[in-house]
């Protein structure tokens, strides 16, 4: 059991490289694309994700926020996402109760399952016209959420996408 726990924990911190406190996984080396991922240190405060990042003399474009990238970052207060990002993964910002500000750029087309689940600090969110799909539980249990603006391209709102949003 101890070995399993150690392997599972190590897998959560798997990343290809980090630059200025942000962790990345290489998605496609031939197209120079990376995603933001979780790392060995929890994100906190205000985080600005750059449009590109250079590592080992190679410049990569940041095209997605990976599954669980910021999950359970209790001290994360705001995130600025560049317009190079096209998807926000499953549980990407799940259970970040201090998150009060997130700007979803017009380049994003999909928001994954439980992407913002339990983000109690969010009071409003604008989903741009570029987004076509909201995953199941996408904004569930966001107790502070009082205002949602949906873009006109949304064709799928997942099951329980706003469940438990008591405000």
């Amino acid at each position: 059991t101890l070995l399993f726990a150690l392997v599972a924990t190590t897998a959560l911190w798997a990343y290809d490289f980090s630059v200025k406190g942000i962790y990345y996984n290489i998605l496609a080396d031939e197209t120079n694309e990376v995603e933001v991922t979780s790392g060995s240190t929890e994100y906190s405060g205000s985080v600005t994700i750059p449009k590109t990042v250079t590592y080992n003399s190679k410049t990569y474009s940041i095209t997605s926020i990976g599954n669980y990238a910021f999950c359970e970052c209790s001290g994360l207060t705001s995130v600025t996402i560049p317009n190079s990002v096209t998807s926000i993964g499953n549980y990407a910002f799940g259970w970040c109760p201090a998150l009060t500000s997130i700007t979803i750029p017009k380049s994003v087309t999909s928001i994954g399952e439980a992407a913002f689940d339990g983000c109690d600090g969010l009071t409003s969110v604008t989903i741009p016209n570029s987004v076509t799909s909201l995953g199941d539980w996408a904004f569930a249990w966001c107790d502070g959420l009082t205002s949602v603006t949906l873009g006109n391209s949304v064709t799928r709102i997942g099951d329980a996408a706003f469940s438990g949003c008591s405000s």
Side-chain angles (χ1 to χ4, degrees):
T1 304
L2 180 60
L3 180 60
F4 175 76
L6 181 61
V7 170
T9 302
T10 303
L12 288 176
W13 292 337
Y15 56 91
D16 293 323
F17 64 92
S18 72
V19 174
K20 296 183 180 177
I22 300 177
Y23 301 92
Y24 301 96
N25 279 329
I26 298 171
L27 296 175
D29 207 25
E30 61 279 353
T31 59
N32 299 345
E33 294 179 0
V34 296
E35 71 178 359
V36 177
T37 190
S38 59
S40 57
T41 304
E42 185 178 288
Y43 296 105
S44 65
S46 180
V47 174
T48 299
I49 300 167
K51 188 174 184 172
T52 61
V53 64
T54 301
Y55 176 72
N56 281 346
S57 302
K58 191 170 189 176
T59 300
Y60 294 93
S61 179
I62 295 138
T63 59
S64 66
I65 308 297
N67 295 340
Y68 302 94
F70 295 88
C71 188
E72 296 184 357
C73 290
S74 60
L76 184 68
T77 58
S78 70
V79 178
T80 303
I81 301 172
N83 63 8
S84 58
V85 170
T86 60
S87 66
I88 297 174
N90 298 337
Y91 303 91
F93 297 94
W95 307 289
C96 294
L99 185 64
T100 59
S101 175
I102 184 90
T103 301
I104 301 169
K106 293 178 182 176
S107 56
V108 171
T109 59
S110 66
I111 296 174
E113 178 180 310
F116 295 93
D117 185 7
C119 292
D120 294 336
L122 285 178
T123 57
S124 69
V125 66
T126 299
I127 299 168
N129 289 335
S130 57
V131 173
T132 59
S133 172
L134 291 179
D136 297 345
W137 303 92
F139 291 90
W141 304 106
C142 292
D143 291 339
L145 195 58
T146 59
S147 171
V148 176
T149 304
L150 285 176
N152 58 14
S153 296
V154 174
T155 57
R156 180 185 181 280
I157 297 176
D159 292 339
F162 296 96
S163 177
C165 294
S166 59
S167 295

